[in-house]
Amino acid sequence: MLKEIKNRLMLKETPRDQASQKAVASKQLSCRNIIAQLALIFLSSGLLDCVAPSPSGRLDCELVAMSASPLMAMLLLASTVAPRVPVARGSGMSAAHPAYADATAYGPAAASAVEAGLEEYGGGRIVDITHAYRPELPFPGRDGLGAVTRLTESMANGSVNNVSELRMVVHSGTHVDAPGHMVQEHFEAGLGVDKLDLDVLNGPALLIDVPRHTNITAQAMESLNITKGIRRVLFRTLNTDRKLMWTKEIDTSFVGFTEDGAQWLVDNTDIKLVGIDYLSVAAFDHLISAHLVFLNRRDIIPIEGLKLDHVKTGVYMLHCLPLRLIGCDGSPIRCILIK
């Protein structure tokens, strides 16, 4: 998909308001991020023992072999979130698919009125950070992704059941990259999404805001002060503020890792899962080089196109599961956060 973006796009960048970006840029890591990182370390190391939430949603935790402290009380403060807003979907194919509206075979749907709302379940305990496969998802060209399912058998047309067919590019929407995506020797070795480490894809994760005036460079990474021992980090960037995942066309000014930023992460952190809020973990001018820093290693998993709108920063239990596509270079992935 990265080559398609390069080959098919009119390379026209959206101007940025430098003054407003600098006004919202973080110069220092917030206390919230520091507390969240401490909680993640305690949880990962077994020093923090938590029991299931009570009916009120409160999570009771205590430090193992230690008395509770004011700091730990701060870690467990409840946060308020926006109400869940269901996401509308778009078009159908040969027979009108109920998941879509007013479209023909494999064609783009009429634009839907979609709000980038928070999607919660279980009384707010579970947050879905996966984009619905709506036709308006960004994709090379001007029409968006288009419909990805069609009815091959339709009860409305006299069939005894409804049967749908799925057809899509695996690097669209919320998805994961396998090592074979950009490293041919890994692809030939069969290092597809079916070989990704499920232990890395599931576990404590830190959702963090990065400076809004820059790509994720080495300097930006250093400024985040991400503590050793943290293995999963979701990076929320200017992409979310600009709602780039809610526009049909690829915007080449999206924020991502530069080559030196990716290398700094590899050299100075224990991060094995890198999540980001647009279709590429790498900035447009570093599409190949930054990807290769991660994918050459085989043990770092990039998850792209995450839906992080309105989600509070902090520590969550992350659960991500790709389709088990043998030898495939990527896959759609369903990711949720559990508070």
Side-chain angles (χ1 to χ4, degrees), residues 1 4 133 139 145 148 167-173 175 331-332:
M1 180 168 180
E4 290 183 60
Y133 275 90
F139 196 73
L145 178 63
V148 298
R167 182 179 295 184
M168 63 182 295
V169 175
V170 295
H171 295 277
S172 56
H175 67 278
S331 169

Side-chain angles (χ1 to χ4, degrees), residues 243-260:
K243 293 182 167 47
L244 294 189
M245 284 296 292
W246 302 90
T247 61
K248 291 182 179 182
E249 290 188 59
I250 299 290
D251 187 327
T252 60
S253 65
F254 64 84
V255 171
F257 277 85
T258 59
E259 182 179 0
D260 73 316

Side-chain angles (χ1 to χ4, degrees), residues 84-88 113-115 118-119:
R84 177 178 181 267
V85 178
V87 177
V114 180
E115 181 181 344
L118 194 69
E119 294 186 273

Side-chain angles (χ1 to χ4, degrees), residues 129-251:
I129 56 171
T130 310
H131 278 278
Y133 275 90
R134 59 190 187 277
E136 300 85 7
L137 278 174
F139 196 73
R142 296 183 179 274
D143 296 325
L145 178 63
V148 298
T149 60
R150 71 180 180 96
L151 279 172
T152 58
E153 300 286 342
S154 171
M155 295 180 72
N157 293 338
S159 297
V160 297
N161 57 7
N162 294 311
V163 178
S164 297
E165 177 184 85
L166 174 67
R167 182 179 295 184
M168 63 182 295
V169 175
V170 295
H171 295 277
S172 56
T174 305
H175 67 278
V176 62
D177 288 351
H181 178 38
M182 301 192 73
V183 183
Q184 181 61 18
E185 62 185 82
H186 293 343
F187 186 79
E188 292 173 354
L191 297 178
V193 290
D194 57 309
K195 300 293 178 59
L196 294 177
D197 189 344
L198 293 181
D199 183 59
V200 174
L201 289 166
N202 296 271
L206 175 67
L207 169 58
I208 194 169
D209 278 318
V210 301
R212 294 304 202 255
H213 64 294
T214 178
N215 277 311
I216 308 178
T217 61
Q219 183 179 5
M221 278 298 303
E222 186 173 9
S223 74
L224 294 174
N225 297 317
I226 297 174
T227 310
K228 283 276 192 177
I230 294 177
R231 300 180 66 208
R232 305 167 192 86
V233 179
L234 311 181
F235 295 87
R236 182 165 53 198
T237 73
L238 188 64
N239 300 329
T240 294
D241 298 350
R242 296 175 64 202
K243 293 182 167 47
L244 294 189
M245 284 296 292
W246 302 90
T247 61
K248 291 182 179 182
E249 290 188 59
I250 299 290
D251 187 327

Side-chain angles (χ1 to χ4, degrees), residues 17-96:
D17 184 341
Q18 297 293 334
S20 63
Q21 289 174 15
K22 290 180 180 179
V24 298
S26 290
K27 298 298 183 182
Q28 297 178 342
L29 188 66
S30 68
C31 291
R32 179 188 289 269
N33 285 338
I34 295 173
I35 293 170
Q37 291 190 51
L38 288 171
L40 184 56
I41 293 169
F42 289 142
L43 187 60
S44 300
S45 63
L47 292 175
L48 187 63
D49 184 38
C50 298
V51 298
S54 65
S56 66
R58 177 178 177 179
L59 185 66
D60 293 319
C61 301
E62 62 179 11
L63 286 170
V64 177
M66 300 182 194
S67 61
S69 66
L71 174 61
M72 294 313 299
M74 293 173 64
L75 294 172
L76 305 173
L77 288 176
S79 61
T80 57
V81 292
R84 177 178 181 267
V85 178
V87 177
R89 295 194 182 186
S91 80
M93 298 185 191
S94 58

Side-chain angles (χ1 to χ4, degrees), residues 317-331:
M317 288 299 294
L318 172 71
H319 296 286
C320 290
L321 292 175
L323 298 178
R324 200 170 185 180
L325 304 173
I326 297 176
C328 195
D329 50 272
S331 169

